[in-house]
C-alpha cells in the first residue's frame, strides 16, 4: 500500500447548505440610507485573482449586500470585474473547508481524513517540521504557493531557516517573460504590466487574450485606447475577443510566433524604421541583430506562419509610424513551446527597436510607496538555496522551478523532505504531473496544505488547514509598482466562518510552537499594519475608512530626453546580443525552431481563459458557477463534419499517452482553425467535495503531453500537446 494515498476530501465533510453570514462590524464605516436599512462598508482587496483590485464590502442591516470597486483606486479604475463582484460566493460557498483535517489509517488499512482540533493539527506539523530541521536541515522543507496570503507563510519559513520556495506563477506562467525582459532590458515587464496603453497609438497582442482574461484595469485601458482609435494588431490562431476589435488580425499557424517577430525586426531594420537615436544611446548588439534577422524575410516567414509578406510589412510599418507610442505587449502566460524565454526576448527586442521602453505610449516606469518593513530580527542564514535541488539546470531561473522541486522530492534520497503548500492546486496547474505528485507524496515526511477549498491538492496532505477567505482576514498592504503609487487595505468584513482561521494567525501559531516567537511580536496582524501605515503618514484607522491611499510620484514616469540611463544588464545597456546567454551555451539572439507537426488524426490543444473564472480557483463559486458552469470545446466546422460531431454535443478527448478527459460540450465555430481545438482552463475537477464543479467540463492540464521545458529558465511549454476525439457513443457514454 502507498504510504500516502490520494483521499477524496468528500468522505469526511458535512454537506451543509448556505447559511446566513455571521457579521462582524469592527472597523467599518456606517451611514443611514432613507428607506433602507443601515448600510456599512468595509475595505477589501479582491483575491479572486492576482490583480489586487481594491473594493468595498457593503452590508445592509448587517447582512451581506454586495462588493464594489473602491472609487479612489487608480489601480483598478474604481471597478471590480465580473469575478471580483462574485467575491461573496467565495465566502458563502458551503463546500469550504471547515475544520483542520488529519490523515489517518483505519483498521482496514484504508486512509481517510479525520477532523482534529487546531491544537492537534499545529502540534503535529510543528513536531514534524522540527524533526526535518534537526535531521536534514530546515532548507529541506519546501514551500509551494500562490496568492497574496502566502506572505505570512513565506515569513514563517524564512524564520524557520528555509528559503526553499517555488510557485507555478513562474515556471507555469510568466517566468519566461520576466527572464526574457530582464536579460534584454534589465527589468521585468512587472505585474500589473507597465504598458502605457492609455497613451499608445499602436498595440500589438501576441497570444494575449485581454478581455478574455479579465485583468481589470488592463481591459479598461485597452478599451479606452480602442475608443481613441489605437491601431490594434492581434496575432492569434483563434478569432479571439481582441481579434474582433483589431484593425489587423493575423491568424498565425500555432507555434510560429517567433518567426513573425524576427520578420518584423527584419522589416524595421531593412527599411530603416528603427529608432536609431534611442538605440545608439541605449543598446548594444544592433549590428549582430541586423545580420541575424537578415534571413527571416517576410517571404520566408510566410511559409512558416501563413501570414502574407505584405501583411508582415504593413503591420511593421504601422508599428514604426506610431513609435515610440507602440506596445508589443509582453503577454503574461508565456509558457508555450519551450523556447519561450527567447520568444519573450524577441518581444523585448522589438520594443527596443521601436524605442518604446520607458517612453510615453510604450512602457512607463513603475513606482511603489516607500513603505518600511516592520522591525524584526534577521532571518537565519541558509545553507542551501532552492536551485541546489536541481544543480546545473536552468541557469537563468530567477525563482524556484516547480517541476524541478517536485522531481527533487521523489525517492528515499530526495532533496526535499517536507512541503507546505499554500493556495495552489498543483494537479491542475502543472501539466501531466499526477504521477510525480503521487511519487512525491509517497516519499515526503510531511505534506501540509493550507486552503480555503477542498482542492485536489488537499487529497495529498497529511494535514489540511482551513484558511478563512479574504473577506474574513487581514493580509499585507497592497503596494504594487505602478503608474500611481498607492496603498490598499484588506481587512475582515466578517468573522471567520466555521473553524477557519486567517493565514497570519496560522503562521504565528506554528512560529510559536517552533520557538520563533520573536518573529511574530504582534497579537493581531493589524498592529503590524498600523505601525507601517504610521511610518508613511497614515494609520490603520484612516485606512479602515478610506481603503486606498494614493501617494504622489517621486520619480519621472518615463525616460527624460537625453537622459543617461543605466539598465539592469551586465553591460548596463539594452542587450540585443546577449553575452550572458552565449556564455552559458545558449543562442545569444533568438533562433526560430518550427513546432512539432500535428500527428494524423490529432489536433493541437489550445487553451485559455474565460471572463467569469480565474482558473480552477473560482469554478465552484456558486455565483460565478451560475454565470459560466462549464467550459466548451471550440471545433472548426470542417473537423466537426469529418468526425460527425454536432454543435452542443458532448465528446471526450484523448491524449497520445492514453489520458481520456471528462466530457466536454462542443462549440462548432470558424473562430478556430482546423488544426486546433480550444478550451478554457480550470474545469474537470476531480475533488467530489467541490459539489458544483466536480466532473463538470474537461481539464486541459491532464491532457498535456509533449511538454517542452525551457532550458534557460525551466518553464513548461504547454502548447505542444495534441488531442483527438473520443465519441461518447464509442465508449457507451450517455
Ligand atoms: Fe478581482 Fe477582477 Fe481585480 Fe482580479 S481583476 S482582483 S478578479 S476585480
Amino acid at each position: 500500500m502507498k504510504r500516502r494515498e490520494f483521499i477524496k476530501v468528500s468522505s469526511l465533510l458535512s454537506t451543509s447548505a448556505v447559511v446566513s453570514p455571521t457579521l462582524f462590524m469592527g472597523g467599518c464605516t456606517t451611514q443611514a440610507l432613507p428607506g433602507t436599512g443601515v448600510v456599512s462598508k468595509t475595505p477589501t482587496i479582491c483575491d479572486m485573482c492576482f490583480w489586487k483590485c481594491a473594493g468595498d464590502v457593503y452590508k445592509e442591516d448587517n447582512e451581506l449586500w454586495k462588493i464594489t470597486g473602491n472609487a479612489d483606486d487608480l489601480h483598478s479604475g474604481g471597478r471590480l470585474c465580473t469575478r471580483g463582484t462574485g467575491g461573496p460566493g467565495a465566502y458563502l460557498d458551503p463546500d469550504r473547508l471547515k475544520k483542520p483535517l488529519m490523515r489517518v489509517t483505519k483498521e482496514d488499512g484504508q486512509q481517510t481524513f479525520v477532523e482534529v482540533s487546531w491544537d492537534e493539527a499545529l502540534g503535529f506539523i510543528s513536531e514534524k517540521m522540527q524533526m526535518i530541521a534537526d535531521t536534514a536541515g530546515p532548507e529541506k522543507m519546501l514551500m509551494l504557493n500562490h496568492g497574496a496570503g502566502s506572505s505570512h507563510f513565506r515569513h514563517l519559513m524564512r524564520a524557520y531557516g528555509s528559503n526553499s520556495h517555488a510557485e507555478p506563477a513562474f515556471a507555469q506562467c510568466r517566468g519566461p517573460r520576466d527572464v526574457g525582459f530582464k536579460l534584454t532590458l534589465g527589468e521585468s515587464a512587472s505585474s500589473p504590466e507597465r504598458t502605457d496603453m492609455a497613451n499608445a497609438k499602436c498595440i500589438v497582442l501576441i497570444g494575449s487574450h485581454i478581455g478574455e482574461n479579465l485583468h481589470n484595469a488592463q481591459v479598461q485601458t485597452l478599451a479606452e485606447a480602442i475608443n481613441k482609435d489605437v491601431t490594434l494588431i492581434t496575432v492569434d490562431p483563434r478569432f479571439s475577443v481582441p481579434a474582433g476589435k483589431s484593425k489587423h488580425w493575423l491568424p498565425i499557424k500555432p507555434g510560429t510566433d517567433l518567426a513573425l517577430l524576427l520578420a518584423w525586426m527584419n522589416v524595421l531594420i531593412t527599411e530603416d524604421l528603427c529608432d536609431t537615436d534611442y538605440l545608439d544611446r541605449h543598446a548594444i548588439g544592433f549590428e549582430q541583430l541586423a545580420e541575424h534577422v537578415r534571413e527571416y524575410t517576410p517571404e520566408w516567414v510566410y511559409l512558416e506562419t501563413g501570414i502574407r509578406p505584405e501583411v508582415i510589412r504593413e503591420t511593421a510599418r504601422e508599428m514604426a509610424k506610431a513609435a515610440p507610442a507602440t506596445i508589443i505587449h509582453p503577454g503574461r502566460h508565456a509558457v508555450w513551446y519551450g523556447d519561450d524565454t527567447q520568444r519573450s526576448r524577441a518581444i523585448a527586442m522589438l520594443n527596443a527597436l521601436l524605442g518604446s521602453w520607458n517612453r510615453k505610449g510604450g512602457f512607463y516606469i513603475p513606482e511603489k510607496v516607500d513603505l518600511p518593513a516592520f522591525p524584526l530580527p534577521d532571518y537565519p542564514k541558509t545553507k542551501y538555496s532552492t536551485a541546489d535541488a536541481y544543480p546545473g539546470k536552468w541557469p537563468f531561473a530567477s525563482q524556484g522551478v516547480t517541476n524541478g522541486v517536485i522531481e527533487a522530492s521523489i525517492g528515499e534520497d530526495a532533496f526535499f523532505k517536507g512541503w507546505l503548500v499554500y493556495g495552489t492546486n498543483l494537479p491542475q496547474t502543472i501539466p501531466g504531473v499526477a504521477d510525480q505528485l503521487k511519487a512525491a507524496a509517497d516519499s515526503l515526511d510531511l505534506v501540509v496544505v493550507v486552503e480555503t477549498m477542498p482542492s485536489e491538492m488537499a487529497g495529498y496532505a497529511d494535514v489540511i488547514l482551513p484558511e478563512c477567505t479574504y473577506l474574513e482576514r487581514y493580509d499585507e498592504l497592497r503596494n504594487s509598482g505602478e503608474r500611481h503609487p498607492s496603498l490598499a487595505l484588506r481587512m475582515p468584513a466578517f468573522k471567520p466562518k466555521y473553524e477557519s482561521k486567517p493565514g497570519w494567525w496560522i503562521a504565528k501559531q506554528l512560529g510559536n510552537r517552533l520557538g520563533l516567537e520573536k518573529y511574530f511580536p504582534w497579537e493581531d496582524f493589524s498592529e503590524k499594519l498600523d505601525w507601517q501605515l504610521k511610518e508613511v503618514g497614515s494609520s490603520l484607522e484612516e485606512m479602515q475608512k478610506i481603503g486606498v491611499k494614493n501617494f504622489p510620484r517621486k520619480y519621472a514616469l518615463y525616460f527624460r530626453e537625453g537622459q543617461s540611463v543605466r539598465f539592469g544588464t551586465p553591460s548596463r545597456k539594452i542587450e540585443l546580443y546577449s553575452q550572458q546567454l552565449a556564455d552559458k551555451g545558449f543562442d545569444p539572439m533568438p533562433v526560430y525552431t518550427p513546432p512539432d507537426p500535428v500527428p494524423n488524426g490529432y489536433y493541437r490543444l489550445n487553451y485559455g481563459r474565460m471572463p467569469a473564472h480565474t482558473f480552477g480557483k473560482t469554478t465552484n463559486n456558486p455565483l460565478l458557477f451560475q454565470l459560466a458552469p462549464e467550459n466548451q470545446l471550440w471545433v472548426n466546422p470542417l473537423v466537426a463534419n469529418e468526425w460527425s460531431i454536432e454543435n452542443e454535443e458532448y465528446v471526450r478527448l484523448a491524449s497520445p499517452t492514453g489520458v481520456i478527459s471528462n466530457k466536454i460540450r462542443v462549440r462548432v465555430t470558424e473562430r478556430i482553425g482546423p488544426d486546433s481545438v480550444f478550451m478554457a482552463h480550470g474545469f474537470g475537477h476531480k475533488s467530489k467535495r467541490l459539489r458544483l464543479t466536480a466532473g463538470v467540463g474537461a481539464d486541459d492540464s491532464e491532457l498535456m503531453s509533449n511538454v517542452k521545458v525551457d532550458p534557460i529558465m525551466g518553464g513548461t511549454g504547454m502548447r505542444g500537446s495534441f488531442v483527438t476525439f473520443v465519441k461518447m457513443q464509442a465508449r457507451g457514454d450517455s
Side-chain angles (χ1 to χ4, degrees):
M1 191 187 71
K2 294 260 165 50
R3 194 188 74 75
R4 188 178 286 110
E5 292 173 344
F6 175 78
I7 301 174
K8 292 191 175 102
V9 186
S10 59
S11 58
L12 206 268
L13 302 175
S14 67
T15 53
S16 61
V18 175
V19 293
S20 262
T22 304
L23 301 172
F24 175 64
M25 297 290 291
C28 57
T29 57
T30 62
Q31 64 183 114
L33 287 189
T36 64
V38 174
V39 173
S40 64
K41 69 172 183 173
T42 310
T44 189
I45 301 168
C46 182
D47 199 37
M48 302 295 281
C49 86
F50 57 83
W51 202 265
K52 301 189 186 132
C53 302
D56 290 308
V57 183
Y58 282 86
K59 291 178 263 184
E60 184 175 356
D61 287 340
N62 266 358
E63 290 294 332
L64 172 61
W65 174 17
K66 64 177 178 180
I67 299 185
T68 64
N70 181 318
D72 293 330
D73 188 29
L74 302 169
H75 175 103
S76 64
R79 298 183 212 158
L80 301 185
C81 76
T82 316
R83 297 172 314 219
T85 53
Y91 166 69
L92 294 167
D93 193 330
D95 294 346
R96 280 174 55 174
L97 291 166
K98 297 176 176 66
K99 293 183 173 184
L101 299 172
M102 196 180 290
R103 175 184 297 266
V104 294
T105 303
K106 296 187 291 187
E107 279 179 8
D108 63 3
Q110 292 287 307
Q111 296 185 0
T112 188
F113 287 115
V114 294
E115 291 176 353
V116 294
S117 66
W118 273 101
D119 200 43
E120 196 176 341
L122 297 170
F124 176 87
I125 295 167
S126 54
E127 265 182 37
K128 286 271 187 180
M129 284 179 72
Q130 194 60 59
M131 184 271 288
I132 290 170
D134 292 344
T135 56
E139 301 91 340
K140 302 302 175 79
M141 187 77 202
L142 170 76
M143 181 161 171
L144 292 145
N145 65 279
H146 186 260
S150 339
S151 56
H152 307 296
F153 295 92
R154 287 278 287 137
H155 173 59
L156 168 70
M157 293 288 282
R158 294 298 309 273
Y160 164 75
S162 173
N163 198 16
S164 304
H165 158 245
E167 53 184 320
F170 181 72
Q172 279 69 50
C173 192
R174 57 175 170 66
R177 178 197 82 172
D178 291 354
V179 173
F181 269 59
K182 182 94 170 58
L183 282 166
T184 312
L185 301 163
E187 290 177 273
S188 86
S190 301
S191 177
E193 285 76 21
R194 55 200 287 184
T195 48
D196 192 19
M197 287 206 276
N199 294 307
K201 296 190 184 125
C202 177
I203 298 173
V204 182
L205 303 178
I206 303 181
S208 178
H209 316 135
I210 299 174
E212 294 177 4
N213 54 6
L214 276 187
H215 301 159
N216 193 359
Q218 189 161 238
V219 178
Q220 293 178 46
T221 44
L222 179 63
E224 272 173 40
I226 291 170
N227 285 340
K228 285 198 255 174
D229 280 337
V230 75
T231 298
L232 185 59
I233 300 168
T234 298
V235 181
D236 201 319
R238 275 190 315 127
F239 191 65
S240 61
V241 169
K245 314 278 180 211
S246 297
K247 179 173 177 186
H248 300 277
W249 170 44
L250 278 55
I252 195 167
K253 283 187 200 160
T256 63
D257 308 75
L258 180 51
L260 176 64
L261 290 160
L262 291 162
W264 274 335
M265 288 195 242
N266 172 299
V267 175
L268 292 180
I269 292 172
T270 54
E271 297 192 10
D272 204 12
L273 297 173
C274 300
D275 188 333
T276 46
D277 181 50
Y278 183 91
L279 291 169
D280 285 348
R281 261 187 304 131
H282 297 312
I284 58 165
F286 180 78
E287 287 74 22
Q288 289 105 316
L289 179 64
E291 181 59 31
H292 178 66
V293 299
R294 193 192 301 273
E295 64 180 295
Y296 295 103
T297 62
E299 284 69 22
W300 186 86
V301 165
Y302 164 56
L303 300 175
E304 292 296 306
T305 61
I307 308 298
R308 294 196 313 276
E310 63 273 22
V311 175
I312 296 175
R313 289 202 169 85
E314 187 187 349
T315 45
R317 288 170 194 151
E318 293 252 28
M319 293 176 214
K321 195 169 111 197
T326 295
I327 299 166
I328 318 300
H329 197 285
R332 191 166 184 103
H333 180 77
V335 279
W336 298 0
Y337 294 96
D339 59 352
D340 304 302
T341 302
Q342 293 285 19
R343 189 190 62 257
S344 296
R345 216 170 103 64
I347 291 173
M349 292 159 81
L350 194 51
N351 279 302
L353 294 186
L354 294 162
S356 67
W357 186 249
N358 294 348
R359 304 275 293 282
K360 187 172 181 183
F363 295 78
Y364 63 81
I365 302 170
E367 188 177 321
K368 284 183 171 187
V369 178
D370 196 6
L371 186 71
F374 189 88
L376 289 171
D378 290 341
Y379 293 128
K381 287 207 171 17
T382 54
K383 195 166 152 197
Y384 302 104
S385 72
T386 314
D388 289 330
Y390 37 83
K393 287 185 173 173
W394 315 309
F396 292 95
S398 52
Q399 292 185 27
V401 175
T402 34
N403 22 312
V405 296
I406 292 171
E407 213 178 307
S409 302
I410 297 171
E412 277 187 15
D413 299 328
F415 186 88
F416 293 113
K417 304 296 178 197
W419 284 5
L420 172 58
V421 183
Y422 177 90
T424 182
N425 192 20
L426 300 177
Q428 273 207 333
T429 309
I430 301 178
V433 78
D435 290 345
Q436 282 192 310
L437 278 181
K438 282 192 191 100
D442 276 349
S443 311
L444 292 162
D445 294 329
L446 175 66
V447 180
V448 181
V449 169
V450 184
E451 257 296 355
T452 57
M453 297 297 294
S455 64
E456 284 77 10
M457 187 63 222
Y460 293 99
D462 292 309
V463 188
I464 307 169
L465 299 179
E467 191 187 26
C468 59
T469 67
Y470 72 100
L471 297 173
E472 302 159 294
R473 65 184 201 232
Y474 282 107
D475 274 322
E476 296 283 359
L477 297 162
R478 186 195 73 196
N479 184 17
S480 315
E482 53 193 315
R483 178 188 297 269
H484 309 284
S486 69
L487 296 177
L489 175 70
R490 174 182 290 163
M491 64 173 289
F494 310 105
K495 279 184 184 164
K497 267 189 176 221
Y498 315 114
E499 290 187 29
S500 64
K501 297 282 187 190
W504 69 261
W505 182 91
I506 303 170
K508 177 178 164 65
Q509 297 305 313
L510 281 171
N512 289 351
R513 282 170 169 78
L514 288 162
L516 306 170
E517 296 89 342
K518 64 183 179 183
Y519 293 97
F520 299 90
W522 42 81
E523 274 308 303
D524 189 283
F525 197 66
S526 58
E527 295 162 30
K528 172 182 183 278
L529 301 180
D530 192 39
W531 182 90
Q532 286 185 292
L533 286 164
K534 283 180 174 148
E535 289 290 303
V536 292
S538 181
S539 66
L540 188 62
E541 190 182 359
E542 182 189 38
M543 289 297 283
Q544 285 175 336
K545 292 193 182 93
I546 61 176
V548 173
K549 192 170 176 81
N550 293 307
F551 290 75
R553 280 189 74 100
K554 290 184 180 160
Y555 310 104
L557 191 58
Y558 312 111
F559 286 165
R560 286 187 292 268
E561 262 334 289
Q563 180 185 355
S564 142
V565 180
R566 283 166 66 79
F567 290 81
T569 54
S571 64
R572 299 293 180 200
K573 297 275 190 185
I574 294 172
E575 297 194 347
L576 301 174
Y577 179 95
S578 175
Q579 191 61 48
Q580 292 187 81
L581 285 173
D583 288 347
K584 296 281 184 192
F586 299 112
D587 293 321
M589 290 169 293
V591 174
Y592 167 69
T593 312
D596 291 341
V598 184
N600 268 347
Y602 280 84
Y603 303 88
R604 293 190 187 280
L605 175 61
N606 200 345
Y607 59 89
R609 309 288 177 237
M610 65 163 66
H613 289 296
T614 312
F615 326 125
K617 185 174 166 181
T618 61
T619 46
N620 202 69
N621 177 310
L623 301 177
L624 299 179
F625 180 84
Q626 284 180 44
L627 288 178
E630 63 182 343
N631 57 353
Q632 294 181 323
L633 185 73
W634 292 26
V635 178
N636 182 274
L638 293 172
V639 177
N641 193 37
E642 188 181 335
W643 285 81
S644 303
I645 294 171
E646 300 286 328
N647 193 38
E648 302 266 299
E649 180 181 339
Y650 280 100
V651 295
R652 292 180 194 271
L653 295 171
S655 75
T657 54
V659 175
I660 308 263
S661 78
N662 199 13
K663 64 180 187 178
I664 181 167
R665 192 192 292 266
V666 167
R667 174 179 175 187
V668 178
T669 173
E670 289 183 347
R671 291 174 65 185
I672 189 156
D675 64 346
S676 304
V677 294
F678 169 83
M679 70 171 80
H681 171 72
F683 289 84
H685 278 286
K686 294 188 174 53
S687 171
K688 292 272 190 317
R689 179 56 182 135
L690 300 169
R691 285 176 295 168
L692 285 178
T693 198
V696 177
D699 174 13
D700 56 325
S701 47
E702 71 172 348
L703 287 164
M704 288 174 187
S705 58
N706 196 31
V707 172
K708 299 258 169 75
V709 177
D710 189 326
I712 297 176
M713 51 61 69
T716 48
M718 298 195 257
R719 298 237 165 124
S721 303
F722 307 109
V723 289
T724 190
F725 298 97
V726 181
K727 297 273 293 193
M728 301 288 283
Q729 301 91 311
R731 284 172 47 96
D733 278 338
S734 56

